Amino acid sequence: MGKILKGRIRYCLLILAVNYFIMTAILIRHLQLGFNIPNTPDPDVHVNVTRPTHRTPSCKHMGFWHPVFRKWSSSSKMMTCFGNFVGYFNAFSLLKNVTVEKTLATGSDRGGESLSKAVKQKPWDEFHHFEKGFFRIPCGKNRLPNYNFKKSQVHIDWLKATGVIDDARNRHVVQRNISRLTVAMTRFEYANPYWLIMDVYNVFLMTHFFNCSPDATNVLLLDAHPEGHMDSLWKIFSSVFTLRLLPKQVRFQQLVWSINRVAGPMLEKTKSSLPLQAEFRKTVLDKYNITSDMGRHRKHKCTYAELSVLFIWRRDYVAHIRNPSGKVRRKIKNEEELLDITKKTFPGYSIKGVQLDTLNLAKQLELVASADILIGMHGAGLAQIIFQYPGSGVIELYPHNTGFNWHFYYLSQWSQLYHIKWRNRDKKLEDKVNFYTTIPPHVIISAVKSMTDMICSNKTMVLFKSEGRWYGES
């Protein structure tokens, strides 16, 4: 009798073990995000005019992996609704088989129009309000848990607008089915180069975290902002679209709520490196057919004193409908004087001065990527240093009575760039009415010499100037 009982127990345990492995295999298969997507070129430069790609893909081109992804995937992960909702790191989530009900989004159905057509547009007209059921995921008889999105009101609002469908497979008829991985996000400072680059970079990380490449991923922008002068940076993705291009009901097989900005790596000062920074730089430059290894001849340029220096000028211009006057702060008063004396002091160097926002993005990237030394007043345009070749240098200038800002200092470190910062101490050099600073020429000459020494001797030092002296920072 005991032998029979033991045999039945072994049999039951065997059945349980087999079922466990089968269910585990099904779950792994269910969560895999392999989509192999043909590389569909995007002919448009504006983010809101590209139609969503919805062909069935199979992702043979897998994304890069980074150790931070392991942290995201293992920390505060929650799966519910038959695996149709997965939360990661309390900062982003994956929704599977989710239906977007466009009619439950209130607010402007515009977006992408020129600044001249959006002058009278109110700030709140550029954002949507989502009613309950805007997102709908299959959850059977279950309720969607209240996942804890930390410090992200956008994600909290999206979760509140998410309803459930009493159907584990979401088989109801919709007007369009999109199987390609799609990343959803809401932009805020859409015309600010620093925040724009951060948004694009964060979506870039999402594509690789979910094992796809940017050119195999859609981006859904859940806002209605007018066009910005750097919108074409979004072209690294397969297609980018806003709500107005969608039919009333769309089912996304894989929809990612992108990582919130606060949790993103570019706002973490404690990081020693920026995940996939080199891959991001190469992806952007390759998209514009710009050589990503422009610094490969630096040894030759150092030997023959032929480094390239790029001055970035801040000038009055209209980049945002909230600033119709186009008045810009932190401008350099004596641009021509600085150019002339730098050219005379370094006759073999290639020295240019440009206002980046007047150029198309391809030309901007080409100039920045080829610059051995980039010089400019503190401002959002310096965010493009992320596209400089490693081992290049950045000279960041500050007007009087302005505190040092950490953003570009850390961005330099993460991009393996040398960094010098200088702050004006003389009130007489400031035009506070028109927001100009006169930069003493000897400051630029001294900084360029110091930067040349660091670049050409591979020193590991960051410098800043205070009270007339240069100080090193480890």
Side-chain angles (χ1 to χ4, degrees):
M1 187 68 180
K3 291 182 179 180
I4 296 176
L5 181 60
K6 289 181 180 179
R8 289 180 177 178
I9 291 174
R10 289 195 194 100
Y11 178 77
C12 291
L13 290 175
L14 179 61
I15 295 297
L16 288 174
V18 171
N19 286 337
Y20 172 78
F21 285 113
I22 291 175
M23 293 303 296
T24 301
I26 293 174
L27 181 60
I28 292 174
R29 180 62 180 167
H30 185 61
L31 293 176
Q32 280 180 338
L33 298 175
F35 302 103
N36 198 3
I37 301 156
N39 186 357
T40 307
D42 176 8
D44 303 297
V45 298
H46 299 310
V47 299
N48 66 324
V49 294
T50 309
R51 295 287 174 180
T53 305
H54 53 85
R55 293 186 298 274
T56 302
S58 61
C59 207
K60 289 182 182 177
H61 183 99
M62 305 301 281
F64 296 104
W65 185 257
H66 190 275
V68 75
F69 292 173
R70 188 173 295 108
K71 174 184 174 182
W72 289 352
S73 63
S74 61
S75 178
S76 302
K77 180 177 177 180
M78 185 191 76
M79 186 190 310
T80 188
C81 293
F82 312 108
N84 289 313
F85 181 94
V86 186
Y88 297 91
F89 198 53
N90 299 110
F92 61 97
S93 61
L94 167 68
L95 283 68
K96 303 185 74 173
N97 302 310
V98 58
T99 298
V100 169
E101 188 75 37
K102 180 180 175 180
T103 57
L104 295 179
T106 59
S108 175
D109 61 351
R110 302 175 66 185
E113 65 273 14
S114 64
L115 293 180
S116 61
K117 295 181 179 179
V119 172
K120 296 183 179 180
Q121 189 166 280
K122 303 299 181 183
W124 50 85
D125 290 336
E126 297 176 18
F127 296 96
H128 301 296
H129 173 73
F130 305 109
E131 298 177 11
K132 187 74 171 181
F134 174 75
F135 297 107
R136 290 188 296 164
I137 62 174
C139 207
K141 301 293 184 180
N142 303 316
R143 290 185 178 182
L144 183 66
N146 186 21
Y147 186 66
N148 181 23
F149 285 108
K150 294 181 179 178
K151 301 179 181 179
S152 177
Q153 190 59 47
V154 169
H155 291 74
I156 293 172
D157 290 343
W158 287 355
L159 193 61
K160 290 179 179 177
T162 302
V164 297
I165 301 172
D166 187 12
D167 182 348
R169 297 182 181 179
N170 194 2
R171 290 170 292 192
H172 72 282
V173 179
V174 294
Q175 292 172 294
R176 181 174 299 170
N177 186 73
I178 298 179
S179 55
R180 178 169 292 195
L181 177 67
T182 302
V183 181
M185 69 161 304
T186 296
R187 300 168 296 166
F188 289 91
E189 299 88 349
Y190 72 96
N192 182 298
Y194 178 75
W195 299 111
L196 170 65
I197 289 173
M198 185 184 300
D199 286 341
V200 175
Y201 169 74
N202 284 341
V203 174
F204 174 85
L205 291 183
M206 292 291 96
T207 66
H208 290 294
F209 178 79
F210 289 104
N211 296 325
C212 271
S213 59
D215 60 0
T217 306
N218 292 332
V219 179
L220 171 60
L221 299 175
L222 293 175
D223 58 57
H225 297 303
E227 66 181 10
H229 72 281
M230 288 184 64
D231 278 352
S232 56
L233 189 60
W234 291 100
K235 285 176 63 176
I236 66 172
F237 303 104
S238 173
S239 58
V240 184
F241 49 93
T242 56
L243 270 182
R244 72 180 181 87
L245 291 179
L246 296 179
K248 293 181 179 180
Q249 285 187 332
V250 184
R251 180 189 296 117
F252 293 90
Q253 290 188 14
Q254 312 281 348
L255 181 67
V256 175
W257 290 352
S258 185
I259 189 168
N260 69 71
R261 184 182 289 174
V262 176
M266 281 184 69
L267 289 182
E268 288 189 46
K269 293 190 288 185
T270 57
K271 286 193 172 297
S272 58
S273 64
L274 201 60
L276 304 185
Q277 183 273 332
E279 291 80 3
F280 176 65
R281 174 182 180 272
K282 186 177 187 305
T283 297
V284 172
L285 296 183
D286 286 351
K287 186 66 178 181
Y288 287 90
N289 298 315
I290 298 171
T291 304
S292 58
D293 60 345
M294 286 187 172
R296 65 190 185 281
H297 301 305
R298 184 163 292 142
K299 185 175 181 180
H300 171 87
K301 294 165 76 175
C302 284
T303 301
Y304 295 96
E306 296 176 347
L307 295 179
S308 60
V309 178
L310 180 67
F311 285 89
I312 303 298
W313 306 131
R314 286 175 60 86
R315 293 172 178 166
D316 292 341
Y317 74 105
V318 178
H320 200 291
I321 57 177
R322 311 287 175 258
N323 182 23
S325 68
K327 205 79 166 180
V328 176
R329 294 176 179 269
R330 299 187 303 278
K331 295 170 290 189
I332 295 177
K333 183 74 171 179
N334 54 331
E335 295 175 351
E336 291 301 321
E337 180 186 18
L338 297 181
L339 269 180
D340 291 342
I341 196 168
T342 306
K343 289 179 180 178
K344 290 177 182 177
T345 307
F346 304 95
Y349 285 24
S350 171
I351 300 171
K352 300 177 182 178
V354 297
Q355 181 183 352
L356 286 179
D357 49 82
T358 63
L359 308 174
N360 62 52
L361 185 58
K363 187 61 178 178
Q364 294 181 42
L365 293 171
E366 180 184 351
L367 289 170
V368 171
S370 62
D372 296 304
I373 301 174
L374 189 146
I375 306 173
M377 293 290 280
H378 170 76
L382 286 183
Q384 293 204 43
I385 63 177
I386 197 172
F387 303 119
Q388 281 187 270
Y389 189 79
S392 302
V394 180
I395 300 173
E396 185 178 7
L397 310 172
Y398 288 83
H400 179 264
N401 202 25
T402 302
F404 288 132
N405 186 291
W406 65 268
H407 292 282
F408 303 119
Y409 165 69
Y410 277 88
L411 195 56
S412 296
Q413 286 193 322
W414 294 330
S415 303
Q416 301 178 51
L417 307 175
Y418 298 102
H419 186 270
I420 288 176
K421 51 188 176 183
W422 172 87
R423 179 171 56 199
N424 176 34
R425 299 283 181 173
D426 187 352
K427 294 181 180 180
K428 297 179 181 179
L429 297 178
E430 298 292 335
D431 177 357
K432 294 185 178 180
V433 176
N434 299 300
F435 310 116
Y436 282 105
T437 302
T438 299
I439 308 295
H442 70 85
V443 168
I444 298 299
I445 300 306
S446 178
V448 172
K449 286 180 178 179
S450 297
M451 186 61 75
T452 299
D453 183 48
M454 286 191 286
I455 290 174
C456 294
S457 61
N458 294 320
K459 290 183 177 179
T460 56
M461 176 176 282
V462 178
L463 297 179
F464 68 94
K465 194 168 188 179
S466 179
E467 301 295 347
R469 295 180 58 193
W470 294 109
Y471 295 86
E473 291 183 349
S474 59

